Amino acid sequence: MPQQNEFCCDACSLLYKVIHQQKLIEVSKPQVQPYAFLDQEDFKKLYCLDEEHRTMRFFAKGMHCTSCVHLVEKLSDFDDGILESVANFPNSTVTVKLNSKGRFSQAAALLLEVGYEPIPIEKNLDSTSYLAQENRKLMMRIAVAGACAANIMLFAIPVYAGLTGSYMNAFLWLTMILFLPILIYSAIPFYQGAWGALKGRTLSIDLPIVIAMVSGFALSLYNLLIGSTEVYFDSLASFIFLILGTRFLLKRYQQKHLFIGTLGNLFAIEKIWIQKSGQWVLKPASQLKVGELIKVNSGDKIPCDGQLQEQEAYLDLSLFSGESLPRKVGVGQVVFAGSKVVGEQALLVATAIGEQTRLGSMLKSIEVLSVKKSKLVNFTDKASQILLLTVFAVAALFFVFYAQYSVMEAFNRSLALLIVACPCAMAFGTPLAFGVGVRRASEAGIYIKNANILERLTEVKNLVLDKTGTITLGQLKILNSQPAEVSDLYKDILLSLEWNSDHPIANAIRNQWGAKEPKNHVQNFIEISGKGVEGIYQGQRVQFVASGSTNTSEIVSVLSVNGKAVLELRFADQVRSDSKATIQTLKNLGYEIWLSSGDHQLSVQNIANQVGINQSRALNSQSPEDKFNLVSRLNPAIMLGDGANDSLALGQADVGIAVKGGMDLSLKASDVYFARQGISSLLRLIQISRSTIATVKRNLVIALIYNLIAGVASLMGFVDPLVAAILMPISSAFIVVSSIQGDKK
Amino acid sequence: MNVIVLMIPMALILGAGFVGAFIWAAKKGQFDDLETPAHRILAEEPNERKPQ
């Protein structure tokens, strides 16, 4: 057996053991227990993808290599009840299918045992199957368009080569017939896009495409009927095929962000304990009604707005304040959905659910904002609209003037102009350039939901940053201790005291000294609410409580043994190592940087000093609404944040960027997601957007020159179908090469 | 040259057949996930199917 350290990861090492030692993985009872709810009918209805309740899809956190795929797909070897498990690597999901003996709780526990935390995906929120349907349809349309375009070429070339007589007629008619599937089937997305844009009274590139295609078809058909050879089905068909193809590419790249975006929903609250006739029962969150008593365990999120009962509770309100430290809430006070319970469990009576909660109304406004944003028109759409109007006006004017010499000739020359002057550069040059940009970004861990932001990024100069989790690490770290060296005994005492706690201090201790199980466990453990923890460690009374600190950006806690203080630890959130350099570079690039944080004045000032942001632009104690107002006032602005408290501002900003760490709401509201922590990805994104826009502009210049030359030539009568069939692919090739090459930075 | 009258329909039918095959494969979901199968092919042995 190779040494443990010869494996690149746990998955590889586990897979080796499974294959070579036939070691089957056992799942113990306590591991199955947390997933027992998956076997309840209520939850099966919520999650199962099929009618028989045999298939469920899980998001498996942490799939990253080939071994992971194999391991996850071997689930059926470990459990007789599992029929098959199919991994989807790019989406990091596993679809599990059971036979009649199988139980989902067992499958989920197995997934956890092999190293992937399973999160069941709600059937209705599962966008993957919907996206797959869309992709399949588009692929079929492309296949039909490609096959027809190629066959049309096959029949068009003999005609160009000099075929005459009845064969020529038959071949031209064949090209027309082969164009019909494209017109009727493949081009449907353009009709939908153009109609949608017309209804919404916005501009869209689809409209010029539809007009060029339909008028080209109608006029070519008319020429065919009167026996003329001026037909352009070949040029039109390859044009449509190219546009569909490039759009498909762009779509595929953008879907990567879309999937991550929908994860926000997956992490929503799904199960809650409700008291029904004196009994605690676990139910899907959707079944909760106002007035019911619920309990929320430590570490879980509160599913509704409610009034606290019986005992006070400690809540992590970072959703609204962005702050990492928990706050005390007294009995009878109102708590908001989305807050996380730390410390002991909380009992509360639901006062508002769903959209009526503060969280729900935030979600709703985010949706409104994103709809508003998607209607913004980008520069290339405007440019193509102007180009199209010009071409039509020129064609119409020419027809009117030239008709007095020869109606037929005027008609054919205007038609040639309409066809050769298709807005190629915008129709597929722009999506292609954007697609290349989006893909290059995703290689750098930057996922873009809407490629239009690449254009806006180059224009907007105001940049608003969130503090906690964005330019800082977002979690407490041990700053220093008194005395400086901490003995192993004290470390073990602290680890055992904080063993079951979800408090940020407990996490800081575990991160620093390893999450190993302590040697000795504390007896008679008590949580001193809001101050610290206490217990008996090997017969001695140990206590770890916060001392009244003078500085709100730091927490000082003291460990005492038998009443005697022996160790003082100072905790604080720290600036990420790359934040300062990134901010300096951004300043040099001419960005105006603002800091907007929900934290206290002192710690915000402190951090602003450290990273070099002007004090007058470092705003503290900002509510989600304050951040929203700041972004609207700066308009236009780029917003970078990680918390749900940033999400309103992210939705409002011209470019909203969510940073890794924040999961739920901020992702939904953002246009861009950084999979790498910190703000340094922003520099790369700016670079990519600049080179993409440069490419788009270069395409426009190429198109303009081409249109001028081809336009003049067609009006002078030099363009017939053969010249069009040569000219258009050449211009397309120019655009494609120019787009793909980009600036290889 | 009359053979062309036979050949053109045959060529078109052949082409339609391939398009049909592609559409069938797309509908079956063959192109939904283009990344995972590349990993899957490296697996050592196929999983044995179990009775339903």
Side-chain angles (χ1 to χ4, degrees):
Chain A
M1 156 106 196
Q3 292 296 307
Q4 186 65 33
N5 55 16
E6 284 177 44
F7 292 104
C8 64
C9 63
D10 289 345
C12 294
S13 139
L14 193 56
L15 188 68
Y16 180 89
K17 280 185 206 149
V18 168
I19 292 172
H20 290 274
Q21 301 168 351
Q22 306 299 320
K23 180 198 154 202
L24 290 191
I25 289 165
E26 301 277 333
V27 184
S28 59
K29 259 238 157 76
Q31 278 175 315
V32 177
Q33 195 50 45
Y35 297 105
F37 70 95
L38 289 177
D39 297 328
Q40 286 181 30
E41 281 306 313
D42 284 337
F43 287 96
K44 278 189 186 171
K45 239 181 248 161
L46 200 60
Y47 295 121
C48 284
L49 300 174
D50 56 349
E51 292 290 312
E52 296 91 48
H53 293 177
R54 293 273 181 83
T55 319
M56 208 181 266
R57 186 171 293 151
F58 294 95
F59 178 72
K61 235 175 172 171
M63 248 202 271
H64 65 278
C65 68
T66 304
S67 298
C68 300
V69 173
H70 296 336
L71 206 52
V72 158
E73 297 201 332
K74 270 185 172 297
L75 287 191
S76 62
D77 291 1
F78 309 139
D79 187 278
D80 282 342
I82 299 173
L83 203 60
E84 63 171 4
S85 51
V86 179
N88 183 311
F89 185 63
N91 289 350
S92 208
T93 58
V94 186
T95 311
V96 176
K97 210 169 168 183
L98 302 180
N99 62 22
S100 52
K101 288 190 288 178
R103 281 184 301 127
F104 288 114
S105 55
Q106 186 80 15
L110 256 174
L111 269 174
L112 185 68
E113 180 60 32
V114 297
Y116 311 94
E117 190 192 334
I119 298 164
I121 302 177
E122 237 178 272
K123 181 174 58 182
N124 301 333
L125 297 177
D126 187 1
S127 64
T128 45
S129 48
Y130 167 74
L131 286 178
Q133 285 299 333
E134 289 278 290
N135 283 341
R136 285 177 200 176
K137 256 193 220 157
L138 191 51
M139 257 187 293
M140 291 189 258
R141 292 191 207 285
I142 293 173
V144 169
C148 289
N151 279 295
I152 290 174
M153 286 292 171
L154 224 53
F155 295 113
I157 288 169
V159 178
Y160 295 142
L163 191 68
T164 50
S166 57
Y167 274 114
M168 181 196 76
N169 252 332
F171 277 27
L172 285 180
W173 275 101
L174 268 175
T175 61
M176 195 282 288
I177 290 167
L178 281 168
F179 189 72
L180 288 177
I182 297 182
L183 192 73
I184 295 165
Y185 175 69
S186 296
I188 288 176
F190 301 116
Y191 303 140
Q192 288 166 340
W195 179 238
L198 279 180
K199 267 202 305 198
R201 289 175 196 286
T202 50
L203 302 173
S204 149
I205 186 77
D206 285 332
L207 193 59
I209 293 171
V210 169
I211 293 176
M213 180 179 65
V214 173
S215 60
F217 172 78
L219 298 175
S220 298
L221 183 62
Y222 173 77
N223 273 344
L224 196 58
L225 285 169
I226 61 167
S228 157
T229 57
E230 303 270 314
V231 296
Y232 295 90
F233 300 117
D234 51 342
S235 303
L236 288 171
S238 50
F239 176 55
I240 298 295
F241 172 60
L242 266 176
I243 302 175
L244 279 174
T246 49
R247 283 199 178 177
F248 181 65
L249 281 181
L250 180 62
K251 216 173 153 187
R252 275 244 143 142
Y253 295 145
Q254 287 182 350
Q255 275 170 7
K256 224 164 178 168
H257 179 289
L258 270 183
F259 185 76
I260 300 169
T262 53
L263 285 184
N265 296 328
L266 310 181
F267 294 115
I269 301 122
E270 55 214 10
K271 53 181 197 294
I272 41 174
W273 291 99
I274 306 179
Q275 195 169 53
K276 300 232 177 196
S277 49
Q279 293 276 326
W280 289 112
V281 285
L282 201 58
K283 288 279 170 192
S286 53
Q287 291 187 7
L288 177 67
K289 290 186 197 75
V290 171
E292 282 182 316
L293 182 66
I294 63 166
K295 80 173 172 191
V296 184
N297 291 327
S298 173
D300 285 347
K301 281 184 180 163
I302 296 177
C304 58
D305 286 3
Q307 206 175 24
L308 208 62
Q309 307 290 313
E310 285 181 36
Q311 57 190 1
E312 56 189 27
Y314 286 86
L315 302 180
D316 172 356
L317 298 174
S318 59
L319 187 57
F320 300 104
S321 68
E323 232 188 295
S324 41
L325 293 181
R327 280 200 200 149
K328 184 167 110 176
V329 182
V331 173
Q333 277 186 287
V334 172
V335 294
F336 296 115
S339 327
K340 198 164 124 188
V341 176
V342 259
E344 283 171 73
Q345 68 175 31
L347 293 172
L348 48 114
V349 169
T351 55
I353 50 169
E355 279 188 5
Q356 270 77 50
T357 62
R358 188 171 167 196
L359 181 69
S361 71
M362 259 164 80
L363 265 172
K364 239 179 128 182
S365 22
I366 288 168
E367 248 151 57
V368 172
L369 286 172
S370 77
V371 168
K372 231 162 76 188
K373 222 189 239 183
S374 67
K375 285 191 177 160
L376 284 179
V377 180
N378 60 4
F379 163 71
T380 45
D381 270 3
K382 272 184 224 153
S384 68
Q385 213 74 16
I386 293 167
L387 182 75
L388 179 89
L389 279 177
T390 320
V391 168
F392 266 82
V394 170
L397 280 176
F398 177 83
F399 183 79
V400 169
F401 281 118
Y402 205 79
Q404 45 196 322
Y405 304 106
S406 155
V407 178
M408 200 55 225
E409 193 55 30
F411 170 70
N412 278 335
R413 289 188 189 182
S414 326
L415 169 61
L417 174 67
L418 278 190
I419 288 176
V420 294
C422 287
C424 303
M426 298 80 162
F428 60 81
T430 306
L432 196 59
F434 279 163
V436 171
V438 171
R439 201 189 72 174
R440 242 189 301 153
S442 76
E443 279 163 7
I446 301 165
Y447 298 110
I448 297 172
K449 192 197 289 178
N450 183 349
N452 282 349
I453 64 106
L454 288 173
E455 192 179 303
R456 271 176 273 152
L457 252 176
T458 54
E459 295 155 4
V460 181
K461 285 293 173 200
N462 289 316
L463 178 63
V464 182
L465 299 174
D466 172 45
K467 181 182 77 73
T468 315
T470 304
I471 59 176
T472 70
L473 291 167
Q475 58 196 26
L476 293 178
K477 275 190 100 170
I478 300 176
L479 214 57
N480 54 39
S481 63
Q482 189 71 36
E485 274 298 306
V486 183
S487 72
D488 283 346
L489 173 68
Y490 293 153
K491 281 185 188 174
D492 199 54
I493 294 177
L494 285 174
L495 280 172
S496 64
L497 269 172
E498 303 285 1
W499 182 239
N500 280 318
S501 170
D502 202 29
H503 194 278
I505 285 188
N507 289 328
I509 287 175
R510 275 195 290 270
N511 286 341
Q512 196 90 1
W513 295 329
K516 281 177 307 206
E517 192 156 345
K519 288 192 204 98
N520 298 294
H521 275 284
V522 163
Q523 312 290 320
N524 303 341
F525 176 82
I526 329 168
E527 194 152 343
I528 313 166
S529 288
K531 296 215 73 172
V533 283
E534 185 187 300
I536 307 289
Y537 180 88
Q538 295 197 305
Q540 304 189 71
R541 201 168 66 89
V542 289
Q543 209 179 29
F544 188 56
V545 291
S547 70
S549 74
T550 48
N551 184 340
T552 41
S553 68
E554 286 177 8
I555 302 174
V556 183
S557 277
V558 178
L559 174 70
S560 49
V561 177
N562 287 333
K564 193 172 140 239
V566 291
L567 179 69
E568 187 185 274
L569 286 176
R570 283 145 64 87
F571 298 89
D573 192 7
Q574 280 184 320
V575 174
R576 288 180 195 281
S577 54
D578 55 358
S579 293
K580 190 177 179 185
T582 309
I583 287 173
Q584 194 52 49
T585 318
L586 286 168
K587 273 183 169 172
N588 293 343
L589 286 170
Y591 284 87
E592 305 282 332
I593 299 173
W594 299 73
L595 184 67
S596 171
S597 171
D599 221 339
H600 304 291
Q601 190 182 8
L602 223 67
S603 67
V604 174
Q605 278 179 358
N606 182 13
I607 299 286
N609 273 338
Q610 282 185 46
V611 297
I613 295 177
N614 197 326
Q615 287 294 348
S616 61
R617 288 190 174 162
L619 309 172
N620 59 62
S621 315
Q622 300 264 299
S623 70
E625 290 78 12
D626 289 336
K627 291 189 180 209
F628 173 86
N629 290 336
L630 173 69
V631 168
S632 335
R633 192 161 53 81
L634 288 176
N635 184 38
I638 305 169
M639 169 85 200
L640 223 89
D642 75 320
N645 63 323
D646 301 316
S647 48
L648 277 179
L650 286 172
Q652 171 69 12
D654 280 69
V655 183
I657 303 172
V659 179
K660 182 180 184 171
M663 255 322 191
D664 344 58
L665 234 54
S666 54
L667 265 175
K668 203 172 167 138
S670 67
D671 306 295
V672 182
Y673 170 66
F674 287 171
R676 294 183 190 156
Q677 300 200 318
I679 58 174
S680 55
S681 299
L682 185 59
L683 294 176
R684 179 81 183 123
L685 180 62
I686 289 171
Q687 202 182 43
I688 289 170
S689 75
R690 286 192 173 175
S691 80
T692 305
I693 297 309
T695 307
V696 168
K697 291 200 170 137
R698 187 173 57 216
N699 284 347
L700 286 178
V701 171
I702 294 176
L704 205 64
I705 294 171
Y706 158 81
N707 274 320
L708 267 178
I709 296 171
V712 170
S714 60
L715 291 185
M716 291 174 70
F718 295 134
V719 175
D720 57 11
L722 176 59
V723 177
I726 294 168
L727 264 186
M728 285 184 51
I730 289 177
S731 76
S732 307
F734 255 114
I735 300 273
V736 168
V737 170
S738 153
S739 306
I740 290 178
Q741 281 303 106
D743 288 313
K744 287 243 164 137
K745 266 182 226 156
Chain B
M1 208 165 163
N2 276 341
V3 72
I4 215 164
V5 179
L6 189 67
M7 277 182 64
I8 285 176
M10 275 171 68
L12 286 178
I13 288 168
L14 195 64
F18 281 112
V19 172
F22 182 88
I23 288 177
W24 171 79
K27 274 193 175 156
K28 287 277 235 173
Q30 289 287 331
F31 309 111
D32 287 355
D33 178 4
L34 300 176
E35 222 175 298
T36 318
H39 295 281
R40 206 170 280 147
I41 200 170
L42 298 169
E44 296 216 0
E45 79 271 54
N47 283 341
E48 285 163 41
R49 298 273 156 191
K50 284 180 194 162
Q52 195 82 24

